[in-house]
Amino acid sequence: MMLTVTDLTRRFGGFTAVSRVSFNLEQGEILGLIGPNGSGKSTTFNMIAGMLRPSEGSIRFQGEEIGGLKPVEICHRGIGRTFQIPRPFRRLSILENVVTAAYFGQREDIPRARAFALAEEALALVGLPTDPAAEVASLGAAGLKKLELARALATQPKLLLADESLGGLDETEMDQAAEMLGRIRRDKGITIIWVEHIMGVLMRVVDRVIVLDHGEKISEGLPREVAADPRVIEIYLGTERIAFGEDGVA
Ligand SMILES: Nc1ncnc2c1ncn2[C@@H]1O[C@H](COP(=O)(O)OP(=O)(O)OP(=O)(O)O)[C@@H](O)[C@H]1O
Ligand SMILES: [Mg+2]
């Protein structure tokens, strides 16, 4: 197993945002993590990536316990993440943003030329310009998402945590995002956990799905199994067309 999460729990005061969540991830898998707003998806990511310390439970990555390590330590072990709300350095160019990630994302110092090469490769993979003059201000919502991905990729992760759940992408952009994650796995062999709050496009790309609701794992399985699970249908009832897509992915 690449990642083994056991009874992961996070409380904020008296409120439990993630409650005894357990799952495994095998090398090369794309796992979808879905659930309504506030169900604990980003909190789960933030514990795996070290932004939040687990209240309880264990996170083992490649056989080593990483729960409670600092974000930089986790990054250096090979976990890259994107932020749900993009947070680029707005005064740096697109290329400089990714070079910075490439440089600080490695366990050891790398030469400047190597950082540029990694950045250019990551930008090409997501389809953003490698031109040093290209500005962050030129990017729309979809472009900023791609920049987040490029920054995560430039750290050379073995596991990528992609928090894509944000409105603001249209159908075509969602399709492109899905295609891109598929390509990242295929070309780079990177294992992926993909977070979304809607199911539509995600269901076509992922191998397996986990559904969170109120911080608890309520369903897990193949996309078609999960989409047919009465507990999942119940949560998404009322947003059924969005959840399953017009053509009914279920
Ligand atoms: N730092 C924090 N302090 C207090 N409560 C928090 C904190 N971070 C998250 N929460 C709460 O924990 C719950 C889970 O939040 P989380 O961001 O993980 O949800 P999510 O599944 O990512 O939702 P969305 O689909 O809207 O991104 C929410 O009720 C949220 O308000
Ligand atoms: Mg979130």
Side-chain angles (χ1 to χ4, degrees), residues 5-240:
V5 171
T6 312
D7 290 334
L8 192 60
T9 298
R10 173 67 201 207
R11 286 182 283 271
F12 295 108
F15 173 72
T16 305
V18 174
S19 180
R20 304 195 58 142
V21 168
S22 300
F23 63 91
N24 290 321
L25 187 63
E26 279 188 66
Q27 169 113 31
E29 256 192 304
I30 302 185
L31 174 71
L33 184 60
I34 62 171
N37 293 126
S39 56
K41 305 179 299 292
S42 295
T43 303
T44 301
F45 263 27
N46 284 329
M47 287 190 278
I48 298 171
M51 298 280 293
L52 284 173
R53 178 175 280 278
S55 303
E56 277 167 42
S58 137
I59 306 166
R60 294 187 77 79
F61 177 63
Q62 297 190 312
E64 181 193 7
E65 178 62 41
I66 59 162
L69 293 183
K70 294 196 191 84
V72 64
E73 294 168 331
I74 291 174
C75 174
H76 288 171
R77 280 165 176 72
I79 299 182
R81 63 88 50 93
T82 70
F83 286 91
Q84 181 171 4
I85 298 167
R87 23 164 103 175
F89 299 113
R90 297 207 172 257
R91 285 168 191 274
L92 301 183
S93 70
I94 292 172
L95 179 62
E96 285 165 342
N97 264 277
V98 185
V99 168
T100 306
Y103 192 76
F104 290 102
Q106 319 303 318
R107 213 185 263 259
E108 273 132 39
D109 280 357
I110 55 171
R112 184 187 150 89
R114 173 80 179 135
F116 273 85
L118 286 172
E120 282 166 9
E121 187 195 356
L123 284 167
L125 201 57
V126 303
L128 283 180
T130 52
D131 170 8
E135 296 288 340
V136 172
S138 69
L139 299 174
L144 288 171
K145 286 274 176 199
K146 290 179 186 169
L147 179 56
E148 278 293 305
L149 264 181
R151 293 208 295 173
L153 291 170
T155 69
Q156 297 195 288
K158 300 183 185 91
L159 170 61
L160 174 67
L161 309 176
D163 197 338
E164 293 288 286
S165 48
L166 194 70
L169 298 196
D170 65 27
E171 191 83 4
T172 314
E173 289 166 340
M174 294 267 289
D175 277 336
Q176 285 171 352
E179 197 271 328
M180 194 181 301
L181 289 176
R183 185 150 32 92
I184 287 167
R185 165 174 61 181
R186 208 168 50 241
D187 294 359
K188 307 291 293 176
I190 296 173
T191 308
I192 298 171
I193 309 181
W194 178 11
V195 161
E196 272 293 348
H197 45 230
I198 60 171
M199 290 197 229
V201 181
L202 173 143
M203 299 300 253
R204 294 201 286 269
V205 179
V206 300
D207 302 307
R208 210 154 48 90
V209 187
I210 286 176
V211 186
L212 296 183
D213 186 32
H214 297 294
E216 291 180 18
K217 183 174 87 172
I218 59 142
S219 188
E220 175 172 6
L222 299 174
R224 65 183 146 76
E225 293 168 349
V226 165
D229 182 337
R231 290 190 70 180
V232 178
I233 293 169
E234 195 187 319
I235 306 179
Y236 280 99
L237 209 68
T239 53
E240 217 167 344

